[in-house]
Amino acid sequence: MSTSQGQRDAASASADDTENSRTPFYLQLRDRIAAQIATGQLSAHSRLPSERTLSEQYQTTRVTARLALGQLEAEGKLYRSNRRGWFVSPERIIYDPSLDVSFTDYVTKQGGVPRTETLQSTSLTVPAWLAQKSGLEEGSEIYHIQRRRYIDGRAILTENIYVNPAVCPGLLRFDFNQSLWKLMRHEYSVSLSDKHVTMYPTALTEPQAGILGVTPGTAGLYVNRISRNSEGVFIEFDEEFWLHDALCISVHAKG
Amino acid sequence: MSTSQGQRDAASASADDTENSRTPFYLQLRDRIAAQIATGQLSAHSRLPSERTLSEQYQTTRVTARLALGQLEAEGKLYRSNRRGWFVSPERIIYDPSLDVSFTDYVTKQGGVPRTETLQSTSLTVPAWLAQKSGLEEGSEIYHIQRRRYIDGRAILTENIYVNPAVCPGLLRFDFNQSLWKLMRHEYSVSLSDKHVTMYPTALTEPQAGILGVTPGTAGLYVNRISRNSEGVFIEFDEEFWLHDALCISVHAKG
């Protein structure tokens, strides 16, 4: 994956200033590992030496090594994989919410390998919060699709999608391990006219943390999107829970 | 501050499902406190009872109480203030990067009280990374302004701004405890034509953590913006380090 022009390393600006004796050793160790990532000596998805090996190599304690690794995890440079150790995070995938490009397309274009897995697809009655958001009547029917998405084999988001049956009757008979928007366009001639995207950092709680195989409380990014057609009719509400290190949001605007 | 239409509570969707005996008690306690915030029983910036009082009130340990509070902090619902305890986070300020509205204006419009404090303003030589980003020559002059911004008296972001002296000669003589864009428009007739905004969650490290009075490693949101005029001339590069619970990004798009 090529280096993104849009991404500037939020932590590197201060790295030069911190390499002095007043800097806690775990931050000095953080800088050394970060430098190995920046130069490509440690490449995306490669596995770090064990905490014990690292602590021996840098003549420090395992507690200090773990602090450095945790700091790099919080910055999005390393990730943990259940019981298998620490790995280098790949470049964040760049997502421009003002464009109409599918996950599958923008991940592929940036050199990643996307995969989508449907966890459930079912018919529900509209709850109060969704009635308020969508304009659909509380208690009326709505389709619910829950999916998990991967980049390069790593589960990086889970999503709940709520689709208006009036615009896509019989939708649940399809396979959702593909782009839902392409499906809706192709099978129902649904065309998106207006979308409103909302995003903020948050902790991943259950059930999302479990679905992504991370500890509850792990940092995440919450993204939701309401889409309507040109008559203002509600099409879908999608809410996505991303690992915090997977995504970079990019918006171009003309003043 | 009124309830935002754009914000959906990322955690509340699952709250109903988790109130059972298999749910760890700290998450049940989290749900009870979250409900008090949702109903307004605990209002923005109000102080929670001490961890000891909470643990007595809910007949649990201080460790469990602290876990529940930490979870709510990670979700952006509570914040800690140095040695003064736990407080309820106000509604996130909504920021639309596709619009051309100043911090002062969008915070005020949403019922918050903004304040800007200049930490330093100085002339620097362009470092390599900024030369690459801006198109200015490495080693040439650039203005650097560092500021801290507050909402309702709470420091919520610190920023580094780098301005092209060619478009604003003598800029450093001004007071920057105000909207920089209004100043540049008024004094230099600078008009923004193109901006590119990039955002991702990250950990706040030094010196930013210190400037905001939080522990290094605290969750944050990194935002940068490159602005050019209609001839494509570089105007400014601004990088902002936000507390993770202060901002909600909102983008409207026509398909």
Side-chain angles (χ1 to χ4, degrees), chain B residues 77-113:
Chain B
K77 294 192 189 303
L78 293 182
Y79 68 92
R80 256 182 287 201
S81 190
N82 282 342
R83 296 158 203 266
R84 297 197 304 124
W86 292 89
F87 296 82
V88 175
S89 301
E91 291 261 345
R92 292 170 188 269
I93 287 289
I94 298 171
Y95 167 62
D96 184 339
S98 68
L99 301 181
D100 191 18
V101 185
S102 76
F103 172 84
T104 309
D105 288 349
Y106 67 72
V107 171
T108 305
K109 211 167 187 175
Q110 293 173 54
V113 178

Side-chain angles (χ1 to χ4, degrees), chain B residues 110-174:
Chain B
Q110 293 173 54
V113 178
R115 184 160 72 83
T116 301
E117 181 189 4
T118 305
L119 302 178
Q120 55 170 315
S121 62
T122 182
S123 179
L124 294 179
T125 54
V126 175
W129 65 263
L130 188 54
Q132 200 196 343
K133 230 170 233 316
S134 64
L136 297 182
E137 207 175 324
E138 190 176 341
S140 63
E141 191 192 18
I142 196 154
Y143 297 147
H144 174 224
I145 302 159
Q146 188 182 34
R147 306 196 292 189
R148 176 162 48 199
R149 299 189 122 167
Y150 298 79
I151 298 177
D152 301 344
R154 180 182 176 220
I156 45 83
L157 82 89
T158 179
E159 62 180 344
N160 289 304
I161 312 172
Y162 301 89
V163 184
N164 185 353
V167 297
C168 305
L171 181 72
L172 295 182
R173 73 178 182 275
F174 291 103

Side-chain angles (χ1 to χ4, degrees), chain A residues 193-222:
Chain A
S193 172
D194 178 279
K195 64 177 176 177
H196 185 183
V197 182
T198 299
M199 297 167 278
Y200 55 84
T202 192
L204 298 172
T205 53
E206 295 298 1
Q208 286 79 25
I211 293 170
L212 295 176
V214 296
T215 315
T218 297
L221 183 70
Y222 175 73

Side-chain angles (χ1 to χ4, degrees), chain B:
Chain B
M1 216 170 290
S2 70
T3 300
S4 129
Q5 287 293 322
Q7 274 175 256
R8 160 148 160 71
D9 186 333
S12 68
S14 59
D16 289 345
D17 307 326
T18 57
E19 192 80 9
N20 66 51
S21 57
R22 290 178 53 203
T23 303
F25 188 74
Y26 86 91
L27 286 178
Q28 297 183 34
L29 180 50
R30 174 245 164 250
D31 289 349
R32 293 193 202 175
I33 300 172
Q36 290 174 25
I37 297 170
T39 57
Q41 198 178 330
L42 285 170
S43 59
H45 299 296
S46 72
R47 187 177 176 165
L48 265 77
S50 72
E51 290 172 10
R52 201 179 72 175
T53 306
L54 278 174
S55 61
E56 283 169 6
Q57 190 180 337
Y58 290 101
Q59 301 184 308
T60 185
T61 63
R62 285 183 67 166
V63 171
T64 299
R66 203 171 298 139
L67 271 175
L69 296 168
Q71 172 68 31
L72 287 159
E73 181 187 33
E75 292 171 22
K77 294 192 189 303
L78 293 182
Y79 68 92
R80 256 182 287 201
S81 190
N82 282 342
R83 296 158 203 266
R84 297 197 304 124
W86 292 89
F87 296 82
V88 175
S89 301
E91 291 261 345
R92 292 170 188 269
I93 287 289
I94 298 171
Y95 167 62
D96 184 339
S98 68
L99 301 181
D100 191 18
V101 185
S102 76
F103 172 84
T104 309
D105 288 349
Y106 67 72
V107 171
T108 305
K109 211 167 187 175
Q110 293 173 54
V113 178
R115 184 160 72 83
T116 301
E117 181 189 4
T118 305
L119 302 178
Q120 55 170 315
S121 62
T122 182
S123 179
L124 294 179
T125 54
V126 175
W129 65 263
L130 188 54
Q132 200 196 343
K133 230 170 233 316
S134 64
L136 297 182
E137 207 175 324
E138 190 176 341
S140 63
E141 191 192 18
I142 196 154
Y143 297 147
H144 174 224
I145 302 159
Q146 188 182 34
R147 306 196 292 189
R148 176 162 48 199
R149 299 189 122 167
Y150 298 79
I151 298 177
D152 301 344
R154 180 182 176 220
I156 45 83
L157 82 89
T158 179
E159 62 180 344
N160 289 304
I161 312 172
Y162 301 89
V163 184
N164 185 353
V167 297
C168 305
L171 181 72
L172 295 182
R173 73 178 182 275
F174 291 103
D175 168 21
F176 301 115
N177 298 343
Q178 58 173 313
S179 167
L180 181 61
W181 271 100
K182 278 185 193 160
L183 174 66
M184 293 199 293
R185 239 183 246 121
H186 188 254
E187 298 290 338
Y188 296 94
S189 305
V190 167
S191 78
L192 171 73
S193 172
D194 178 278
K195 63 178 177 178
H196 186 183
V197 183
T198 300
M199 297 166 279
Y200 54 86
T202 192
L204 298 171
T205 52
E206 295 298 1
Q208 287 79 26
I211 292 171
L212 295 175
V214 298
T215 315
T218 298
L221 183 69
Y222 175 73
V223 179
N224 78 37
R225 187 171 53 236
I226 304 178
S227 307
R228 298 179 185 278
N229 70 14
S230 55
E231 281 93 50
V233 174
F234 170 77
I235 302 173
E236 60 138 29
F237 177 73
D238 176 24
E239 53 173 12
E240 303 174 345
F241 300 84
W242 288 75
L243 295 183
H244 81 290
D245 64 354
L247 197 67
C248 174
I249 299 148
S250 168
V251 181
H252 257 289
K254 296 283 172 186

Side-chain angles (χ1 to χ4, degrees), chain A residues 29-40:
Chain A
L29 180 51
R30 174 243 164 253
D31 288 349
R32 291 193 204 176
I33 299 172
Q36 291 174 22
I37 298 170
T39 58

Side-chain angles (χ1 to χ4, degrees), chain A residues 4 25 39 55 58 153 170 176 180 185 217 230 235 255:
Chain A
S4 129
F25 187 74
T39 58
S55 59
Y58 290 101
F176 300 114
L180 182 59
R185 238 182 249 121
S230 56
I235 302 173

